């Protein structure tokens, strides 16, 4: 496998440019200040209860530390409640560096929770990288993979081989470069557009021992476990491997796709496993259409439909619910049209009590590809 020799410059190329962009974001909206709406809950949990929690998804496989830092800086100032990143020590440090710079710009800004993402199954689409050998590519290829990649993770250039020749003669050319691995986050769009079927996907599973060590860090607040819903045994194995390290975090999120009628049964089985040693809050991430929020209006329909189906089930597992996968600027309007901005009365409270006893049906929204596209 050939690696791209020179990655493209970060979307925000300098520290000064990052600070300028962050200042524009801060000026455009009210910054969420630390300590707001805490009452008896951390501000992030209060946001989930109200239904206005926002999470930034940097990408479970996205490991470009410079861009992760930039994203974390800008969206901390934008007021997000949580930043989700790859379960990699350098990436976690980049997230916290961005948060710290944001706090240096606006000292009273609320510090978002830092969440790391892992998986229990190598078939999960969020945990793969594209690969191909550019020397196998015909030199006259139009390079559609380069054009379609939303992460600028493919770098290809034509080089001359064997001396001078006419520019119109591609026979003596070859392509150099390939996939910039730290930027690829596994969306798979390049796989379907390659005219020669030369691109492959490399799946992997995050190491539980490494993850357990990450959860011991004081600057990691939450963990998200992606599961394909194919089998409860894989989730159980991962959960047991993480052991007591789970108790170091404030929130455990489970991200799962829509598996139809079996979804609730699968969730209840997972919930039973987690209750054995879960001391923090739990959250269900409904991943309607993974890694598609930057596409447009149609991408958000699947995740909203997923939410409609689950919230109509009275015996769904306890915990907060959050949308992801296809989320973009159309998602909130779609939720309103579906009537999911309602609140429900929590068990043991009276309907006449104040709004503090109410909890939103959908606690919040996570933005990934759409957030990265907007920031760019």
């Amino acid at each position: 496998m050939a690696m791209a020799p020179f990655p493209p410059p970060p979307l925000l190329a300098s520290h000064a440019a990052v600070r300028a962009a962050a200042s524009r974001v801060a000026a455009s909206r009210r910054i969420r200040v630390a300590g707001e709406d805490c009452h008896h809950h951390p501000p992030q949990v209060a946001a989930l209860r109200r239904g206005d929690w926002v999470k930034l998804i940097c990408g479970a496989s996205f490991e470009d530390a410079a861009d992760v830092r930039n994203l974390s800086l800008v969206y901390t100032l934008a007021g997000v409640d949580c930043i989700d990143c790859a379960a990699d020590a350098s990436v976690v440090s980049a997230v916290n560096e961005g948060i710290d710079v944001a706090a240096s710009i606006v000292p009273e800004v609320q510090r978002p929770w830092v969440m790391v993402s892992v998986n229990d199954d190598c078939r999960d689409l969020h945990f793969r990288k594209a690969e191909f050998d550019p020397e196998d590519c015909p030199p006259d290829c139009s390079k559609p993979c380069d054009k379609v990649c939303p992460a600028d993770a493919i770098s290809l250039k034509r080089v001359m081989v064997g001396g001078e020749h006419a520019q119109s003669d591609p026979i003596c050319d070859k392509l150099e470069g390939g996939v910039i691995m730290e930027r690829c986050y596994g969306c798979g769009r390049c796989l379907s557009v390659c005219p020669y079927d030369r691109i492959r996907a490399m799946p992997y599973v995050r190491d539980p021992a490494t993850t357990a060590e990450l959860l011991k860090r004081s600057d990691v607040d939450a963990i998200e476990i992606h599961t394909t819903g194919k089998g409860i045994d894989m989730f159980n194995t991962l959960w047991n491997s993480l052991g007591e390290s789970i108790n170091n975090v404030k929130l455990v999120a489970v991200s799962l796709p829509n598996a139809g009628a079996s979804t609730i049964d699968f969730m209840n089985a997972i919930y039973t496993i987690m209750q054995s040693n879960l001391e923090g809050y739990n959250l269900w991430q409904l991943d309607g259409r993974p890694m598609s929020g930057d596409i447009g209006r149609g991408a958000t329909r699947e995740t909203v439909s997923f939410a409609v189906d689950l919230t109509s089930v009275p015996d769904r597992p306890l915990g907060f619910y959050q949308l992801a996968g296809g989320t973009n600027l159309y998602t909130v309007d779609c939720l309103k049209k579906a009537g999911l901005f309602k609140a429900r009365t929590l068990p043991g409270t009276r309907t006449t009590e104040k709004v503090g006893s109410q909890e939103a049906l959908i606690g919040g929204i996570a933005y990934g590809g759409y957030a990265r596209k907007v920031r760019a």
Side-chain angles (χ1 to χ4, degrees):
M1 180 188 68
M3 304 278 287
F6 301 107
L11 295 177
L12 294 176
S14 70
H15 197 70
V18 175
R19 293 177 71 95
S23 296
R24 289 195 297 271
V25 171
S28 66
R29 60 175 293 177
R30 186 180 73 87
I31 296 174
R32 186 169 290 172
V33 175
E36 285 187 345
D37 303 318
C38 288
H39 301 297
H40 302 297
H41 302 279
Q44 294 82 1
V45 175
L48 282 166
R49 289 170 61 89
R50 293 191 306 267
D52 61 8
W53 152 285
V54 177
K55 184 178 82 170
L56 166 67
I57 303 173
C58 291
S61 300
F62 189 69
E63 296 159 333
D64 186 320
D67 204 23
V68 167
R69 181 206 64 187
N70 297 341
L71 284 163
S72 301
L73 192 168
V74 172
Y75 280 99
T76 296
L77 287 175
V80 297
D81 299 283
C82 182
I83 298 176
D84 180 3
C85 69
D88 176 270
S90 62
V91 175
V92 171
S93 295
V95 171
N96 281 286
E97 181 185 346
I99 294 172
D100 290 341
V101 175
S104 73
I105 296 171
V106 181
E108 66 272 22
V109 72
Q110 173 183 295
R111 186 178 186 90
W113 279 352
V114 176
M115 174 185 287
V116 295
S117 278
V118 299
N119 58 326
D120 66 358
D121 188 343
C122 67
R123 291 171 290 183
D124 192 292
L125 299 180
H126 300 84
F127 296 84
R128 61 181 184 175
K129 301 279 189 180
E131 69 164 355
F132 66 92
D133 186 346
E135 293 190 6
D136 290 340
C137 300
D140 59 345
C141 179
S142 61
K143 302 182 287 186
C145 58
D146 188 4
K147 298 179 177 67
V148 78
C149 179
D152 295 324
I154 296 177
S155 176
L156 287 170
K157 63 179 180 179
R158 185 179 295 170
V159 297
M160 186 174 59
V161 179
E164 296 182 0
H165 61 86
Q167 290 186 357
S168 60
D169 178 14
I171 297 176
C172 298
D173 287 350
K174 71 173 184 177
L175 292 176
E176 282 189 350
V179 178
I180 305 166
M181 300 305 288
E182 64 267 25
R183 292 194 62 82
C184 176
Y185 59 82
C187 73
R189 297 180 200 179
C190 60
L191 302 175
S192 59
V193 302
C194 177
Y196 304 102
D197 196 27
R198 302 289 168 84
I199 306 177
R200 302 168 296 278
M202 300 186 305
Y204 65 95
V205 176
R206 292 284 183 189
D207 177 45
T210 301
T211 301
E213 289 302 310
L214 280 176
L215 298 187
K216 297 176 183 178
R217 290 176 51 151
S218 61
D219 55 4
V220 173
D221 305 286
I223 183 173
E224 179 171 294
I225 300 174
H226 290 255
T227 181
T228 60
K230 303 294 184 183
I232 198 66
D233 291 343
M234 289 180 288
F235 183 92
N236 193 31
T237 298
L238 173 59
W239 187 261
N240 290 333
S241 298
L242 295 174
E244 293 301 316
S245 65
I246 285 290
N247 292 327
N248 294 323
V249 297
K250 305 176 182 72
L251 179 141
V252 174
V254 177
S255 177
L256 69 165
N258 190 351
S262 64
T263 301
I264 289 293
D265 291 339
F266 185 74
M267 292 171 66
N268 278 319
I270 288 177
Y271 186 74
T272 299
I273 292 171
M274 291 194 301
Q275 289 311 295
S276 62
N277 63 335
L278 177 64
E279 295 183 1
Y281 299 94
N282 74 288
L283 180 148
W284 303 100
Q285 177 166 290
L286 312 184
D287 200 3
R289 184 173 172 180
M291 297 176 286
S292 63
D294 58 314
I295 294 175
R297 183 186 295 271
T300 202
R301 292 173 182 163
E302 289 183 46
T303 188
V304 172
S305 176
F306 192 5
V308 170
D309 291 343
L310 281 187
T311 55
S312 66
V313 178
D315 60 345
R316 60 186 176 274
L318 295 176
F320 297 109
Y321 285 75
Q322 170 211 269
L323 303 191
T327 52
N328 51 39
L329 75 165
Y330 304 107
T331 304
V332 170
D333 285 341
C334 289
L335 280 173
K336 289 179 178 178
K337 290 178 181 177
L340 290 183
F341 269 16
K342 300 175 182 177
R344 64 181 181 186
T345 302
L346 297 178
T349 62
R350 300 175 182 175
T351 56
T352 56
E353 291 187 46
K354 295 181 179 180
V355 71
S357 65
Q358 301 242 315
E359 181 179 305
L361 286 167
I362 298 298
I365 302 174
Y367 297 98
Y370 170 68
R372 293 190 291 268
K373 182 177 181 180
V374 169
R375 197 294 306 272

